[in-house]
Structures are given as structure tokens and as C-alpha cells.
């Protein structure tokens, strides 16, 4: 398959970095995007950081020129979803990181620990039993259950660790309620990325490290796909998957060579 593309959507965790460690080829990847004038969106299921947080993280890793408009997260997608359904001032309870809380607060929602209209659940690296208990009781009392993304694991430098999907599964089991999931593979994040890029799916490449979200979600919309083997997938999981990426690369250096 020839990489004839005009725009790029790329995941971040497991593609560009693991935790605070840049993966090989990351800065060269952005050099290529800027040199080729390929517009891009970085689309991550991680809801713990704001768009500005990611811009700052990339700058600290030696990548300049990335702007907030280049960033789409399950957190920003969740904010847009809630804004279309609830007015400003709606009481929400958030089980998640400070970035998600800040985005929802900045959008005009009231963050509460009681009498919430909805519980928004994302990744929370400081999860406690008390936090899970509060979220469960609110959902059982009638609050709507919103999950930022379904990823059960998260690629950290030391290996795969629990992701938002694992926390959501805990609350689902305890509350007896299934959540509305916003992030990949749902089409909302892909639609947002394509709108930002003003690109057609068939001329866009999605780069990801997770078959069930990055690749499956993109293929459902007709977006070309490239899997990099630096995140959650293994040769065994790739062979066993019914979803087949259009292209598979060991990492960014091999993808850069193909581009």
C-alpha cells in the first residue's frame, strides 16, 4: 500500500512516548510533518491532560510548533458531548485527573461530590476506594454514567498499567450501570479530527498502537491506518486480531522511511 496522504491523525501514548520518555523517531516525525506541510491532529484517549498540557509536554521534549488546535483528547470530546446535552452550571461529579476536571470547570460545569446529574469517569492515577464509592453511589442515585474512553491498559515506561477502562469497569460492576463511552473507537474523536484537518477520510492516515481503538475506529470511517508496535500490541495479538491494519511498522523510524 502506498502512503499517498494529505493529513495525519496520530495517537500519542505508545506512539510518540511512554510516560515521559520519547520513543525513537519522535522529533524526526514532527520534522517530517512540518517539512512536508502535512496537517496533523494528535488524538489521544488519555483524558488526564489539557490541550495546553500536551503542547507544553511536546515543547519539553524538543518539539515546537504544535498548537492547541492540533490536540484532540477524549477529555475535549467529552466536554463537547456534555455541552450538547447539558447547560452550563449543570452539577457533575468527576472521577479523573486534574486536567479533565479543569476542562469541565472551564466549560462552565459545576463540579460536585453530591447530587450530580452525571458522573464523568476517566483515568485517575490517585484512585481510592472512597472515590470509587462516591461515584458508585451517585450513579445508583440516578446520575448518568459517562466514560471518557475504554482503554483497559496504559503504556507506561515500566510496562502496561491500568487505564481508564479498568476504572470504568470497576464502577460499572459496582453500580450495575453501563457507561456512555466517548473516546476511540467511537467516531466522535475521529470526526473532530477530520473537521479540524478539513480532510477526507481516504486521504488521511491514522497512526496508532492499539488495534481495538485506533485502528478499528479509523477503519470504520474509511481512514487509512498504520499500526506501530511500540505500545500495547504484540506479534501474537496482531496475528489473532480480526481487524487488520493497512500498514504495520516496528516504530516511528520505519514509518518515517515509508512516508
Amino acid at each position: 500500500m502506498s502512503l499517498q496522504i494529505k493529513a495525519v491523525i496520530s495517537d500519542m501514548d505508545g506512539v510518540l512516548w511512554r510516560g515521559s520518555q520519547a520513543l525513537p523517531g519522535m522529533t524526526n516525525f514532527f520534522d517530517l510533518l512540518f517539512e512536508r506541510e502535512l496537517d496533523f491532529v494528535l488524538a489521544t484517549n488519555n483524558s488526564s491532560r489539557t490541550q495546553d498540557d500536551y503542547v507544553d509536554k511536546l515543547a519539553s521534549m524538543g518539539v515546537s510548533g504544535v498548537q492547541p488546535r492540533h490536540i484532540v483528547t477524549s477529555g475535549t470530546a467529552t466536554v463537547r458531548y456534555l455541552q450538547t446535552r447539558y447547560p452550563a452550571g449543570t452539577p457533575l461529579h468527576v472521577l479523573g485527573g486534574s486536567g479533565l476536571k479543569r476542562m469541565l470547570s472551564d466549560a462552565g460545569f459545576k463540579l460536585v461530590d453530591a447530587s450530580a446529574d452525571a458522573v464523568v469517569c476517566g483515568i485517575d492515577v490517585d484512585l481510592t476506594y472512597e472515590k470509587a464509592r462516591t461515584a458508585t453511589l451517585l450513579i445508583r442515585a440516578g446520575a448518568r454514567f459517562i466514560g471518557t474512553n475504554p482503554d483497559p491498559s496504559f503504556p507506561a515506561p515500566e510496562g502496561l498499567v491500568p487505564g481508564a477502562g479498568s476504572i470504568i469497569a470497576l464502577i460499572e460492576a459496582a453500580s450495575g450501570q453501563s457507561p456512555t463511552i466517548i473516546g476511540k473507537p467511537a467516531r466522535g474523536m475521529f470526526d473532530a479530527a477530520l473537521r479540524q484537518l478539513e480532510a477526507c477520510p481516504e486521504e488521511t492516515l491514522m497512526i496508532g498502537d492499539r488495534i481495538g481503538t485506533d485502528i478499528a475506529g479509523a477503519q470504520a470511517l474509511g481512514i487509512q491506518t498504520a499500526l506501530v508496535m511500540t505500545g500495547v500490541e504484540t506479534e501474537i495479538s496482531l496475528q489473532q486480531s480480526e481487524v487488520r491494519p493497512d500498514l504495520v511498522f516496528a516504530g516511528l523510524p520505519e514509518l518515517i522511511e515509508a512516508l
Side-chain angles (χ1 to χ4, degrees):
M1 177 178 175
S2 175
L3 277 178
Q4 301 299 318
I5 57 171
K6 296 182 180 179
V8 170
I9 305 171
S10 178
D11 187 31
M12 291 190 266
D13 295 295
V15 175
L16 303 179
W17 55 62
R18 276 179 171 264
S20 60
Q21 297 179 6
L23 287 167
M26 187 193 75
T27 55
N28 293 336
F29 173 64
F30 284 100
D31 289 342
L32 178 64
L33 293 177
F34 288 122
E35 289 171 6
R36 289 269 304 274
E37 297 185 345
L38 286 171
D39 201 5
F40 64 92
V41 162
L42 306 177
T44 177
N45 264 352
N46 191 334
S47 64
S48 65
R49 295 172 180 261
T50 67
Q51 292 166 305
D52 287 334
D53 289 337
Y54 280 112
V55 171
D56 292 342
K57 179 172 183 174
L58 284 160
S60 72
M61 291 180 163
V63 177
S64 60
V66 178
Q67 304 171 29
R69 72 173 186 86
H70 290 120
I71 311 293
V72 173
T73 76
S74 65
T76 62
T78 298
V79 170
R80 284 192 292 269
Y81 175 86
L82 290 167
Q83 286 176 321
T84 64
R85 289 160 175 81
Y86 297 98
T90 297
L92 304 176
H93 178 73
V94 181
L95 177 57
S98 60
L100 179 60
K101 292 177 180 178
R102 190 159 66 249
M103 283 186 282
L104 289 166
S105 179
D106 290 346
F109 294 107
K110 182 181 180 182
L111 305 190
V112 299
D113 292 325
S115 302
D117 285 8
V119 171
V120 181
C121 184
I123 183 70
D124 187 339
V125 298
D126 298 312
L127 180 68
T128 63
Y129 180 86
E130 185 60 31
K131 288 182 179 181
R133 180 180 184 274
T134 298
T136 297
L137 290 173
L138 287 171
I139 294 168
R140 284 192 172 274
R144 188 173 179 189
F145 185 13
I146 308 294
T148 59
N149 75 85
D151 294 355
S153 59
F154 181 83
E158 62 272 24
L160 294 180
V161 297
S166 295
I167 298 173
I168 290 169
L170 165 63
I171 304 304
E172 181 175 4
S175 68
Q177 296 296 319
S178 298
T180 298
I181 298 293
I182 306 300
K184 298 174 290 185
R187 67 177 293 158
M189 285 182 62
F190 296 102
D191 285 338
L194 290 172
R195 283 195 303 271
Q196 175 61 45
L197 293 167
E198 297 183 349
C200 297
E202 58 271 17
E203 62 187 17
T204 303
L205 177 69
M206 174 69 208
I207 305 167
D209 71 314
R210 192 182 294 267
I211 295 174
T213 53
D214 300 321
I215 305 304
Q219 286 188 346
L221 296 180
I223 299 171
Q224 299 181 62
T225 58
L227 177 72
V228 291
M229 302 296 289
T230 48
V232 302
E233 303 297 347
T234 64
E235 290 296 336
I236 293 175
S237 67
L238 175 59
Q239 293 171 9
Q240 293 176 341
S241 174
E242 295 182 1
V243 176
R244 308 304 300 176
D246 296 309
L247 296 160
V248 179
F249 299 101
L252 286 176
E254 292 77 14
L255 186 147
I256 292 168
E257 184 177 348
L259 284 173

